[in-house]
Amino acid sequence: MTTTDSTPLPNFIRNIIAEDLKANKNDGRVHTRFPPEPNGYLHIGHAKSVCLNFGLAAENGGLCNLRFDDTNPSKEDIEYVESIKSDVRWLGFDWGDRLFYASDYFEQLYQYAVQLIKLGKAYVCDLSAEEIREYRGTLTEPGKDSPYRTRSVEENLDLFERMRAGEFEDGSRVLRAKIDMASGNLNMRDPVIYRILRATHHRTGDKWCIYPMYDFAHGLSDSIEGITHSICTLEFEDHRPLYDWFLDELKVYHPQQIEFARLNLSYTVLSKRKLIELVEGGYVTGWDDPRMPTISGLRRRGFTPESIRNFCERIGVAKRDSIVDMALLEHCIREDLNERAPRVMGVLRPLRVVIDNYPEDQVEELDAPYHPENPGMGSRKVPFSRVLYIEREDFCEDPPKKFFRLAPGREVRLRYAYYITCVRVVKDEQTGEVLELHCTYDPETRGGWSSDGRKVKGTLHWVSAAHSLEAEVRLYDRLFVKANPSGEKDGPDFKTYLNPKSLETLTSCRVEPSLAGAAPGSRYQFERLGYFCVDSVDSSDSKLVFNRTVSLRDSWAKIAKKEKK
Ligand code: ATP
Ligand code: MG
C-alpha cells in the first residue's frame, strides 16, 4: 500500500463534509480549526488532529484556524505557544492571518455569561468545590439542587459583576449554568462556567480574575469564528449536549461537532500530563528528546514532515479507539528516507584493519554514488588507504555457519573499493580481545568487482582511518518496554515501564570525510546501519553528533506481509 499526500482515502469525516457541501450547508463553506491548549508541546497525536483539520480545509478549498484554547492561566505558557506554532508550521500547514486565542474572546464570553444570567439560565453558586462534587450525584443517582440555584437574576448579575471586579476570594464563588441536576449526563448537572482565579495570564496579564471553563469557552469560540466542522476526540462526545445547550440558549451560530478516535501509539504515552512528568522528572533530556513522541522530539530524531503526514493519512480516522503499532510510524519514515537520504559510510564500533600489501603513502579517491537507484543525487569521493576501520561485528574469528562477513582466511568486498582477505588477527594476549586485523587486497578488484568473475558473499562498509572523522552516535530504542504502559487500570505508574536501554551513546565512531560540516538536521543512510540525522542541538563543526532515526530492519513490512497471507 502506498498512500501519498495527494490521494486522500475516504473516511467518515470526509463523507460528512462531502454531504454537507452537496447540500450547500453553510453556503458551501468548510472552516475548521486546530485548538491546542498551550500547556505542553505537541505530540504525534496532535499531528493527527493538525493533519485532519488543515487537510480537510485544504481539500475542500476551505480555511483552518489555529486557535489557542488558553483558558487556564495556571498551566499555560508562552514557551508552549511558540513551540506549537513552529511545530504546526514545520508539519507543513499555514493558518494565514487566522491565529486566534480564546483569551481574545474573554470580554465576549463574559457578555454571553451575563446573557445567560439574564435568561435565568445561569446563577452564582457559593458552594465549595467539594460540596459541588457532593451535590452532583453519581451515574446512578441524580444530583441535588444547590441552595443558591434560585437566586434572582438581579442578585446573580450583581454577584457576577463583583466576581469580575475582584471582590471575592479565589474559589469562594462560581457561575454555573442552570440546566438539570437530574440529567443522565453528568456534564449537564449545572456545570461550572466561570471561576475566580488570581493568576497572571500569559496574554491578558492581570486584567481578569475570573476565567471561563473550557467547556464554556470552547464551543462558543468555535461559534465566534464561524467554524463549520468542529472536529474533536471521542472524550468530548458527552460534552456535545452541553455545547449545544450554550449555543441554543444564546441563539448564536451553531458549528457541527464531529468526534473521532484519538491516536494511541504503542510503546509510548500520548498525554501531555505524562509527557510533562517525563520532562520535569528528568527521565528525558527535554521536550525535544529524540525518544519523545513529541513533534520536536521526532524532528530532532530525524523524522520528516512528509513521513508524519503520510502516517496520519494511513492510520485514518475512526469512531473506535485502538492502538497503532509504533512499527507503522517507523515504516513511514524509513520509506521516505529510503528515497531521499544520501548513502554514506560510518563505522559505529571501529576495528582497525591494515592492508599489508597496500603502499604506505598511497591514497585513492574512489567514486561512490549517493543513491543506488537515483544517479541524480550524484556521488562523492571516498578515500582508501592502507589503514582502515571496519565494524567490529563484521569480523568473527570462529564464524558460525551463516556468517558471511570477514573471518580468518576469508575474502569479502569493501563497498566501492576492493576485495580483501584476512591473513592475520592481532589479539590482546591477556584478554583475547581482537585489536587489529591484517589483510591483503586484490588490486584487480577496484570498485568492488572482480574481473575474473570470482564472487564473495559479504560486502562491508568501512572508512579510511586517517581520513575519517570522529563522531558521536546515539542509538535509540523505544521509550517503554511495554506496548501500553498506562493500559492497566490500578496498575503501577507508567514510569515503571520506562526502557532503561532506550539510549545508547557511542562516542568513538568514525564517519567518512564527506560528512565534515554536515548541516544540523540533515539526514543520511549509513550503509547497512540505518538512517541517521545530524543532531540539531549538540552537533557542531568540532564535534559531529548523529541520532539514529531508525534502523533498516522494517518490522512493519513483515507484519503487513504476514497479515496478507
Ligand atoms: P493531551 O491528552 O495530550 O493532554 P489534549 O486533548 O489535552 O491532549 P489539546 O491541546 O486540548 O490537548 O489538543 C488539541 C487538539 O488535539 C484537540 O482538538 C484534541 O482533540 C487533539 N488531540 C489531542 N490528543 C490527540 C490524540 N492522541 N489523537 C488525536 N487528536 C488529539
Ligand atoms: Mg484538550
Side-chain angles (χ1 to χ4, degrees):
M1 174 181 77
T2 320
T3 324
T4 63
D5 281 344
S6 57
T7 53
L9 299 167
N11 63 47
F12 81 96
I13 302 183
R14 283 189 172 126
N15 295 344
I16 291 173
I17 292 184
E19 288 296 315
D20 288 349
L21 285 174
K22 223 193 278 166
N24 202 34
K25 196 174 162 187
N26 301 304
D27 305 318
R29 273 187 322 117
V30 173
H31 200 151
T32 57
R33 85 287 175 263
F34 173 63
E37 188 185 348
N39 61 351
Y41 281 57
L42 296 186
H43 54 60
I44 182 82
H46 294 114
K48 176 176 179 177
S49 177
V50 169
C51 290
L52 194 57
N53 280 294
F54 281 93
L56 287 167
E59 277 161 48
N60 292 290
L63 300 171
C64 181
N65 299 354
L66 174 61
R67 181 178 70 241
F68 288 99
D69 261 332
D70 54 350
T71 53
N72 187 2
S74 54
K75 294 210 167 142
E76 295 161 5
D77 197 274
I78 188 78
E79 176 196 348
Y80 299 136
V81 170
E82 292 310 319
S83 75
I84 290 169
K85 288 200 295 198
S86 85
D87 286 350
V88 172
R89 247 186 244 118
W90 180 79
L91 280 171
F93 300 102
D94 183 5
W95 53 87
D97 56 358
R98 294 172 314 282
L99 171 62
F100 301 116
Y101 296 83
S103 56
D104 293 342
Y105 313 136
F106 279 173
E107 185 60 41
Q108 170 79 70
L109 293 168
Y110 178 83
Q111 294 305 333
Y112 281 147
V114 168
Q115 210 176 316
L116 284 179
I117 295 174
K118 287 183 178 161
L119 291 165
K121 297 289 181 182
Y123 61 98
V124 173
C125 181
D126 302 359
L127 292 180
S128 68
E130 186 145 335
E131 288 166 324
I132 290 181
R133 215 170 305 130
E134 275 165 29
Y135 276 63
R136 186 175 296 134
T138 62
L139 279 172
T140 49
E141 277 171 54
K144 263 194 324 197
D145 283 3
S146 158
Y148 305 98
R149 201 173 199 259
T150 49
R151 271 179 169 149
S152 69
V153 168
E154 290 67 34
E155 190 184 359
N156 282 320
L157 284 173
D158 174 62
L159 286 172
F160 189 49
E161 199 179 314
R162 288 163 59 199
M163 275 170 64
R164 177 182 184 167
E167 282 189 33
F168 310 121
E169 300 265 298
D170 283 15
S172 61
R173 291 194 154 95
V174 292
L175 184 72
R176 297 176 70 176
K178 195 190 232 174
I179 309 178
D180 178 7
M181 287 307 291
S183 170
N185 181 341
L186 276 97
N187 295 309
M188 301 299 271
R189 296 187 186 171
D190 291 11
V192 174
I193 59 180
Y194 264 91
R195 57 180 174 153
I196 306 172
L197 178 69
R198 282 169 181 82
T200 304
H201 188 280
H202 62 100
R203 285 179 57 84
T204 57
D206 295 319
K207 179 166 179 216
W208 294 88
C209 65
I210 56 171
Y211 289 96
M213 301 304 287
Y214 178 85
D215 275 348
F216 183 65
H218 185 76
L220 287 169
S221 300
D222 281 344
S223 169
I224 291 168
E225 290 176 15
I227 299 304
T228 56
H229 300 85
S230 170
I231 297 163
C232 63
T233 42
L234 285 179
E235 344 46 296
F236 294 99
E237 202 161 12
D238 286 349
H239 298 238
R240 175 151 41 92
L242 177 59
Y243 300 165
D244 288 345
W245 186 88
F246 290 131
L247 299 168
D248 292 342
E249 295 298 335
L250 291 165
K251 297 193 173 55
V252 291
Y253 169 75
H254 201 138
Q256 176 184 7
Q257 176 168 309
I258 305 168
E259 303 89 8
F260 71 99
R262 63 193 293 114
L263 169 66
N264 300 300
L265 194 59
S266 63
Y267 298 100
T268 192
V269 290
L270 295 184
S271 136
K272 275 187 275 191
R273 185 180 61 72
K274 293 192 177 117
L275 295 174
I276 285 175
E277 247 184 275
L278 295 179
V279 173
E280 290 183 346
Y283 298 94
V284 293
T285 58
W287 286 99
D288 68 348
D289 186 302
R291 290 166 293 181
M292 289 280 272
T294 50
I295 303 302
S296 49
L298 292 168
R299 174 167 61 225
R300 190 169 164 195
R301 175 87 171 247
F303 278 73
T304 59
E306 291 82 357
S307 67
I308 295 177
R309 292 204 301 264
N310 193 239
F311 170 75
C312 291
E313 179 60 31
R314 279 189 188 195
I315 56 177
V317 284
K319 269 281 188 192
R320 283 249 320 264
D321 278 313
S322 64
I323 300 181
V324 173
D325 196 327
M326 178 67 96
L328 177 59
L329 180 62
E330 291 165 353
H331 173 76
C332 289
I333 183 61
R334 215 175 262 123
E335 191 179 65
D336 189 22
L337 292 180
N338 180 41
E339 302 224 331
R340 67 164 82 202
R343 274 54 171 167
V344 293
M345 290 193 286
V347 175
L348 300 186
R349 297 170 184 89
L351 174 61
R352 209 174 121 94
V353 173
V354 180
I355 310 290
D356 289 336
N357 60 339
Y358 196 83
E360 194 121 9
D361 48 4
Q362 185 172 310
V363 179
E364 282 174 272
E365 295 286 336
L366 301 169
D367 198 51
Y370 273 124
H371 198 290
E373 283 125 53
N374 183 357
M377 281 175 75
S379 65
R380 82 283 184 193
K381 297 285 182 199
V382 186
F384 186 88
S385 66
R386 182 179 156 90
V387 183
L388 311 171
Y389 288 120
I390 64 165
E391 207 68 63
R392 201 157 262 282
E393 63 174 40
D394 280 340
F395 173 77
C396 185
E397 213 183 351
D398 184 15
K401 231 177 164 187
K402 291 220 163 146
F403 187 89
F404 298 122
R405 294 168 266 170
L406 199 57
R410 187 177 293 170
E411 187 171 51
V412 295
R413 172 191 296 116
L414 293 182
R415 185 85 157 137
Y416 308 123
Y418 291 102
Y419 284 14
I420 59 165
T421 304
C422 177
V423 293
R424 190 157 64 88
V425 184
V426 181
K427 292 202 281 191
D428 183 310
E429 276 175 21
Q430 238 101 95
T431 63
E433 190 199 352
V434 176
L435 297 179
E436 107 184 355
L437 305 178
H438 284 260
C439 296
T440 55
Y441 86 116
D442 176 358
E444 299 302 312
T445 56
R446 196 172 195 269
W449 304 105
S450 132
S451 49
D452 65 8
R454 173 170 105 246
K455 292 224 161 59
V456 287
K457 281 210 168 130
T459 300
L460 311 186
H461 59 275
W462 55 276
V463 293
S464 161
H467 303 88
S468 61
L469 310 169
E470 190 176 81
E472 176 175 318
V473 173
R474 298 169 183 172
L475 304 177
Y476 299 101
D477 198 350
R478 290 165 179 182
L479 191 49
F480 291 91
V481 290
K482 203 164 185 286
N484 188 1
S486 39
E488 297 156 76
K489 223 176 157 215
D490 307 320
D493 182 79
F494 74 102
K495 297 195 294 304
T496 318
Y497 299 114
L498 276 165
N499 178 3
K501 294 186 189 139
S502 59
L503 168 62
E504 184 182 1
T505 304
L506 304 174
T507 50
S508 30
C509 311
R510 308 293 307 189
V511 298
E512 64 168 76
S514 74
L515 289 166
S522 51
R523 307 174 183 93
Y524 300 89
Q525 184 194 98
F526 285 5
E527 293 211 25
R528 301 176 63 229
L529 298 174
Y531 295 99
F532 294 75
C533 169
V534 180
D535 189 68
S536 52
V537 177
D538 297 325
S539 197
S540 66
D541 283 347
S542 54
K543 184 190 176 199
L544 277 171
V545 180
F546 290 90
N547 297 318
R548 183 161 73 185
T549 313
V550 272
S551 68
L552 293 175
R553 205 180 54 235
D554 191 340
S555 52
W556 179 257
K558 256 191 234 147
I559 296 167
K561 215 168 165 188
K562 227 190 254 160
E563 278 174 359
K564 249 191 190 161
K565 272 187 193 161

Short mmCIF file of all heavy atoms in Angstrom, two decimals, residues 85-124:
data_model
loop_
_atom_site.label_atom_id
_atom_site.label_comp_id
_atom_site.label_asym_id
_atom_site.label_seq_id
_atom_site.Cartn_x
_atom_site.Cartn_y
_atom_site.Cartn_z
N LYS A 85 3.29 26.82 17.51
CA LYS A 85 3.28 27.48 16.20
C LYS A 85 4.38 26.92 15.30
O LYS A 85 4.15 26.64 14.12
CB LYS A 85 3.46 29.00 16.38
CG LYS A 85 2.23 29.66 16.98
CD LYS A 85 2.17 31.16 16.73
CE LYS A 85 3.27 31.93 17.41
NZ LYS A 85 3.03 33.37 17.53
N SER A 86 5.57 26.76 15.86
CA SER A 86 6.65 26.30 14.98
C SER A 86 6.43 24.84 14.57
O SER A 86 6.76 24.45 13.45
CB SER A 86 8.02 26.57 15.59
OG SER A 86 8.38 25.53 16.45
N ASP A 87 5.84 24.03 15.45
CA ASP A 87 5.58 22.63 15.07
C ASP A 87 4.52 22.52 13.97
O ASP A 87 4.64 21.71 13.07
CB ASP A 87 5.13 21.83 16.30
CG ASP A 87 6.29 21.54 17.25
OD1 ASP A 87 7.45 21.79 16.87
OD2 ASP A 87 6.02 21.08 18.38
N VAL A 88 3.47 23.33 14.07
CA VAL A 88 2.42 23.27 13.04
C VAL A 88 3.00 23.70 11.69
O VAL A 88 2.75 23.08 10.66
CB VAL A 88 1.20 24.14 13.43
CG1 VAL A 88 0.20 24.22 12.27
CG2 VAL A 88 0.52 23.59 14.68
N ARG A 89 3.80 24.76 11.74
CA ARG A 89 4.43 25.23 10.50
C ARG A 89 5.35 24.18 9.93
O ARG A 89 5.35 23.92 8.73
CB ARG A 89 5.25 26.50 10.80
CG ARG A 89 4.67 27.72 10.14
CD ARG A 89 5.58 28.92 10.34
NE ARG A 89 4.90 29.94 11.12
CZ ARG A 89 5.29 30.39 12.30
NH1 ARG A 89 6.38 29.92 12.88
NH2 ARG A 89 4.59 31.31 12.91
N TRP A 90 6.14 23.56 10.80
CA TRP A 90 7.08 22.53 10.35
C TRP A 90 6.34 21.36 9.71
O TRP A 90 6.80 20.78 8.72
CB TRP A 90 7.94 22.06 11.52
CG TRP A 90 8.92 21.00 11.14
CD1 TRP A 90 10.12 21.17 10.50
CD2 TRP A 90 8.78 19.58 11.35
NE1 TRP A 90 10.74 19.96 10.32
CE2 TRP A 90 9.95 18.97 10.82
CE3 TRP A 90 7.80 18.78 11.94
CZ2 TRP A 90 10.14 17.59 10.88
CZ3 TRP A 90 8.00 17.41 11.98
CH2 TRP A 90 9.16 16.83 11.45
N LEU A 91 5.16 21.04 10.27
CA LEU A 91 4.38 19.94 9.68
C LEU A 91 3.88 20.29 8.29
O LEU A 91 3.41 19.43 7.55
CB LEU A 91 3.19 19.59 10.59
CG LEU A 91 3.50 18.71 11.81
CD1 LEU A 91 2.29 18.62 12.72
CD2 LEU A 91 3.94 17.30 11.37
N GLY A 92 3.97 21.56 7.95
CA GLY A 92 3.64 21.95 6.58
C GLY A 92 2.31 22.69 6.45
O GLY A 92 1.76 22.77 5.36
N PHE A 93 1.80 23.23 7.55
CA PHE A 93 0.49 23.87 7.48
C PHE A 93 0.58 25.37 7.80
O PHE A 93 1.50 25.81 8.49
CB PHE A 93 -0.50 23.17 8.40
CG PHE A 93 -0.68 21.72 8.03
CD1 PHE A 93 -0.04 20.72 8.75
CD2 PHE A 93 -1.43 21.37 6.92
CE1 PHE A 93 -0.18 19.38 8.38
CE2 PHE A 93 -1.57 20.04 6.54
CZ PHE A 93 -0.95 19.04 7.28
N ASP A 94 -0.38 26.09 7.28
CA ASP A 94 -0.32 27.55 7.34
C ASP A 94 -1.71 28.07 7.73
O ASP A 94 -2.68 27.79 7.06
CB ASP A 94 0.07 28.07 5.95
CG ASP A 94 0.24 29.57 5.92
OD1 ASP A 94 0.14 30.20 7.00
OD2 ASP A 94 0.44 30.11 4.82
N TRP A 95 -1.75 28.83 8.80
CA TRP A 95 -3.03 29.37 9.26
C TRP A 95 -3.26 30.78 8.72
O TRP A 95 -4.24 31.43 9.07
CB TRP A 95 -3.10 29.36 10.78
CG TRP A 95 -1.93 30.03 11.43
CD1 TRP A 95 -1.80 31.37 11.70
CD2 TRP A 95 -0.71 29.43 11.86
NE1 TRP A 95 -0.57 31.62 12.26
CE2 TRP A 95 0.12 30.44 12.38
CE3 TRP A 95 -0.22 28.10 11.85
CZ2 TRP A 95 1.40 30.19 12.88
CZ3 TRP A 95 1.04 27.87 12.35
CH2 TRP A 95 1.84 28.89 12.86
N GLY A 96 -2.34 31.22 7.85
CA GLY A 96 -2.52 32.54 7.24
C GLY A 96 -2.62 33.61 8.32
O GLY A 96 -1.81 33.66 9.24
N ASP A 97 -3.65 34.45 8.22
CA ASP A 97 -3.80 35.50 9.24
C ASP A 97 -4.81 35.08 10.30
O ASP A 97 -5.35 35.90 11.01
CB ASP A 97 -4.23 36.82 8.58
CG ASP A 97 -5.51 36.66 7.77
OD1 ASP A 97 -6.05 35.52 7.68
OD2 ASP A 97 -5.98 37.67 7.21
N ARG A 98 -5.04 33.77 10.39
CA ARG A 98 -6.06 33.31 11.33
C ARG A 98 -5.47 32.64 12.56
O ARG A 98 -5.70 31.48 12.85
CB ARG A 98 -7.04 32.37 10.61
CG ARG A 98 -7.87 33.11 9.54
CD ARG A 98 -8.68 32.14 8.72
NE ARG A 98 -7.86 31.01 8.32
CZ ARG A 98 -6.99 31.05 7.33
NH1 ARG A 98 -6.85 32.14 6.60
NH2 ARG A 98 -6.25 30.00 7.05
N LEU A 99 -4.66 33.40 13.27
CA LEU A 99 -4.13 32.94 14.55
C LEU A 99 -4.97 33.58 15.63
O LEU A 99 -5.03 34.82 15.74
CB LEU A 99 -2.67 33.38 14.69
CG LEU A 99 -2.03 33.16 16.07
CD1 LEU A 99 -1.98 31.67 16.42
CD2 LEU A 99 -0.63 33.75 16.09
N PHE A 100 -5.67 32.75 16.40
CA PHE A 100 -6.59 33.28 17.42
C PHE A 100 -6.30 32.68 18.79
O PHE A 100 -5.62 31.66 18.91
CB PHE A 100 -8.04 32.99 17.02
CG PHE A 100 -8.43 33.58 15.69
CD1 PHE A 100 -8.78 32.75 14.63
CD2 PHE A 100 -8.41 34.96 15.50
CE1 PHE A 100 -9.13 33.30 13.39
CE2 PHE A 100 -8.76 35.51 14.27
CZ PHE A 100 -9.12 34.67 13.21
N TYR A 101 -6.86 33.35 19.77
CA TYR A 101 -6.72 32.89 21.16
C TYR A 101 -8.10 32.98 21.80
O TYR A 101 -8.80 33.98 21.61
CB TYR A 101 -5.77 33.81 21.93
CG TYR A 101 -4.35 33.80 21.43
CD1 TYR A 101 -3.97 34.58 20.34
CD2 TYR A 101 -3.38 33.01 22.05
CE1 TYR A 101 -2.66 34.58 19.88
CE2 TYR A 101 -2.07 33.01 21.60
CZ TYR A 101 -1.71 33.78 20.52
OH TYR A 101 -0.41 33.78 20.07
N ALA A 102 -8.47 31.97 22.56
CA ALA A 102 -9.73 32.06 23.29
C ALA A 102 -9.71 33.30 24.18
O ALA A 102 -10.74 33.94 24.41
CB ALA A 102 -9.95 30.80 24.13
N SER A 103 -8.52 33.68 24.65
CA SER A 103 -8.43 34.86 25.52
C SER A 103 -8.81 36.15 24.78
O SER A 103 -9.18 37.13 25.43
CB SER A 103 -7.03 34.98 26.12
OG SER A 103 -6.05 35.01 25.10
N ASP A 104 -8.73 36.12 23.44
CA ASP A 104 -9.22 37.28 22.67
C ASP A 104 -10.72 37.47 22.90
O ASP A 104 -11.26 38.55 22.68
CB ASP A 104 -9.03 37.07 21.16
CG ASP A 104 -7.57 37.02 20.76
OD1 ASP A 104 -6.72 37.49 21.55
OD2 ASP A 104 -7.28 36.51 19.66
N TYR A 105 -11.39 36.40 23.28
CA TYR A 105 -12.86 36.44 23.40
C TYR A 105 -13.33 36.59 24.84
O TYR A 105 -14.51 36.44 25.11
CB TYR A 105 -13.49 35.17 22.80
CG TYR A 105 -12.93 34.81 21.44
CD1 TYR A 105 -12.60 33.49 21.13
CD2 TYR A 105 -12.74 35.79 20.45
CE1 TYR A 105 -12.09 33.15 19.89
CE2 TYR A 105 -12.22 35.45 19.21
CZ TYR A 105 -11.89 34.13 18.93
OH TYR A 105 -11.38 33.79 17.72
N PHE A 106 -12.41 36.85 25.77
CA PHE A 106 -12.83 36.89 27.18
C PHE A 106 -13.98 37.88 27.42
O PHE A 106 -14.91 37.59 28.16
CB PHE A 106 -11.63 37.23 28.10
CG PHE A 106 -10.74 36.04 28.41
CD1 PHE A 106 -9.55 36.22 29.12
CD2 PHE A 106 -11.09 34.74 28.03
CE1 PHE A 106 -8.72 35.14 29.41
CE2 PHE A 106 -10.27 33.66 28.32
CZ PHE A 106 -9.08 33.86 29.02
N GLU A 107 -13.91 39.05 26.79
CA GLU A 107 -14.98 40.04 27.01
C GLU A 107 -16.30 39.52 26.43
O GLU A 107 -17.34 39.57 27.08
CB GLU A 107 -14.58 41.38 26.36
CG GLU A 107 -15.57 42.52 26.61
CD GLU A 107 -15.77 42.83 28.11
OE1 GLU A 107 -14.76 42.82 28.86
OE2 GLU A 107 -16.93 43.05 28.53
N GLN A 108 -16.21 38.99 25.20
CA GLN A 108 -17.41 38.46 24.55
C GLN A 108 -18.00 37.29 25.36
O GLN A 108 -19.21 37.18 25.55
CB GLN A 108 -17.03 37.99 23.15
CG GLN A 108 -18.09 37.20 22.42
CD GLN A 108 -19.18 38.07 21.82
OE1 GLN A 108 -18.94 38.79 20.86
NE2 GLN A 108 -20.37 38.00 22.40
N LEU A 109 -17.12 36.43 25.87
CA LEU A 109 -17.59 35.28 26.65
C LEU A 109 -18.24 35.75 27.95
O LEU A 109 -19.24 35.19 28.40
CB LEU A 109 -16.42 34.32 26.95
CG LEU A 109 -15.84 33.62 25.70
CD1 LEU A 109 -14.51 32.93 26.03
CD2 LEU A 109 -16.83 32.58 25.15
N TYR A 110 -17.67 36.79 28.52
CA TYR A 110 -18.26 37.37 29.73
C TYR A 110 -19.68 37.87 29.42
O TYR A 110 -20.62 37.62 30.18
CB TYR A 110 -17.36 38.50 30.24
CG TYR A 110 -17.92 39.20 31.47
CD1 TYR A 110 -17.74 38.68 32.75
CD2 TYR A 110 -18.64 40.39 31.34
CE1 TYR A 110 -18.26 39.31 33.87
CE2 TYR A 110 -19.17 41.04 32.45
CZ TYR A 110 -18.98 40.49 33.72
OH TYR A 110 -19.50 41.13 34.82
N GLN A 111 -19.80 38.53 28.27
CA GLN A 111 -21.12 39.04 27.89
C GLN A 111 -22.12 37.89 27.66
O GLN A 111 -23.30 38.01 27.99
CB GLN A 111 -21.03 39.93 26.63
CG GLN A 111 -20.25 41.24 26.83
CD GLN A 111 -20.80 42.08 27.99
OE1 GLN A 111 -21.99 42.02 28.34
NE2 GLN A 111 -19.92 42.87 28.63
N TYR A 112 -21.64 36.80 27.08
CA TYR A 112 -22.50 35.63 26.90
C TYR A 112 -22.99 35.11 28.25
O TYR A 112 -24.15 34.72 28.43
CB TYR A 112 -21.76 34.50 26.17
CG TYR A 112 -21.65 34.66 24.67
CD1 TYR A 112 -20.53 34.19 23.99
CD2 TYR A 112 -22.68 35.25 23.92
CE1 TYR A 112 -20.41 34.31 22.61
CE2 TYR A 112 -22.56 35.38 22.53
CZ TYR A 112 -21.43 34.90 21.89
OH TYR A 112 -21.32 35.02 20.53
N ALA A 113 -22.07 35.12 29.22
CA ALA A 113 -22.44 34.64 30.56
C ALA A 113 -23.50 35.55 31.18
O ALA A 113 -24.47 35.08 31.78
CB ALA A 113 -21.19 34.55 31.45
N VAL A 114 -23.30 36.86 31.00
CA VAL A 114 -24.28 37.83 31.51
C VAL A 114 -25.65 37.56 30.87
O VAL A 114 -26.69 37.56 31.54
CB VAL A 114 -23.80 39.27 31.23
CG1 VAL A 114 -24.92 40.28 31.47
CG2 VAL A 114 -22.58 39.60 32.10
N GLN A 115 -25.60 37.28 29.58
CA GLN A 115 -26.84 37.00 28.85
C GLN A 115 -27.55 35.76 29.40
O GLN A 115 -28.77 35.76 29.57
CB GLN A 115 -26.48 36.78 27.38
CG GLN A 115 -27.56 37.19 26.41
CD GLN A 115 -27.03 37.02 24.98
OE1 GLN A 115 -25.89 37.40 24.68
NE2 GLN A 115 -27.85 36.45 24.11
N LEU A 116 -26.76 34.73 29.71
CA LEU A 116 -27.36 33.52 30.29
C LEU A 116 -28.01 33.84 31.64
O LEU A 116 -29.10 33.35 31.94
CB LEU A 116 -26.31 32.42 30.48
CG LEU A 116 -25.87 31.66 29.23
CD1 LEU A 116 -24.81 30.62 29.60
CD2 LEU A 116 -27.06 30.98 28.53
N ILE A 117 -27.34 34.70 32.43
CA ILE A 117 -27.92 35.08 33.73
C ILE A 117 -29.26 35.78 33.50
O ILE A 117 -30.27 35.46 34.13
CB ILE A 117 -26.97 36.00 34.52
CG1 ILE A 117 -25.67 35.26 34.90
CG2 ILE A 117 -27.65 36.54 35.78
CD1 ILE A 117 -24.60 36.14 35.55
N LYS A 118 -29.26 36.70 32.55
CA LYS A 118 -30.49 37.44 32.26
C LYS A 118 -31.62 36.53 31.80
O LYS A 118 -32.79 36.78 32.06
CB LYS A 118 -30.23 38.52 31.20
CG LYS A 118 -29.42 39.69 31.74
CD LYS A 118 -29.25 40.76 30.69
CE LYS A 118 -28.47 41.95 31.25
NZ LYS A 118 -27.89 42.78 30.17
N LEU A 119 -31.23 35.46 31.11
CA LEU A 119 -32.23 34.49 30.64
C LEU A 119 -32.68 33.56 31.77
O LEU A 119 -33.51 32.68 31.57
CB LEU A 119 -31.65 33.64 29.51
CG LEU A 119 -31.40 34.34 28.17
CD1 LEU A 119 -30.49 33.48 27.29
CD2 LEU A 119 -32.72 34.63 27.47
N GLY A 120 -32.09 33.73 32.94
CA GLY A 120 -32.40 32.84 34.05
C GLY A 120 -31.74 31.48 33.86
O GLY A 120 -32.19 30.48 34.42
N LYS A 121 -30.68 31.44 33.10
CA LYS A 121 -30.04 30.16 32.76
C LYS A 121 -28.66 30.01 33.40
O LYS A 121 -27.91 29.10 33.03
CB LYS A 121 -29.90 30.04 31.23
CG LYS A 121 -31.22 30.02 30.49
CD LYS A 121 -31.95 28.72 30.73
CE LYS A 121 -33.28 28.68 29.97
NZ LYS A 121 -34.00 27.44 30.24
N ALA A 122 -28.31 30.93 34.28
CA ALA A 122 -27.04 30.78 34.99
C ALA A 122 -27.17 31.46 36.35
O ALA A 122 -27.92 32.42 36.48
CB ALA A 122 -25.90 31.40 34.18
N TYR A 123 -26.43 30.94 37.33
CA TYR A 123 -26.51 31.51 38.67
C TYR A 123 -25.16 31.44 39.37
O TYR A 123 -24.34 30.56 39.09
CB TYR A 123 -27.58 30.80 39.50
CG TYR A 123 -27.33 29.32 39.71
CD1 TYR A 123 -26.74 28.85 40.89
CD2 TYR A 123 -27.70 28.38 38.74
CE1 TYR A 123 -26.52 27.49 41.09
CE2 TYR A 123 -27.48 27.03 38.94
CZ TYR A 123 -26.89 26.58 40.11
OH TYR A 123 -26.67 25.24 40.29
N VAL A 124 -24.97 32.38 40.29
CA VAL A 124 -23.75 32.37 41.10
C VAL A 124 -23.99 31.41 42.27
O VAL A 124 -25.03 31.47 42.93
CB VAL A 124 -23.42 33.79 41.61
CG1 VAL A 124 -22.26 33.74 42.60
CG2 VAL A 124 -23.10 34.70 40.43
#
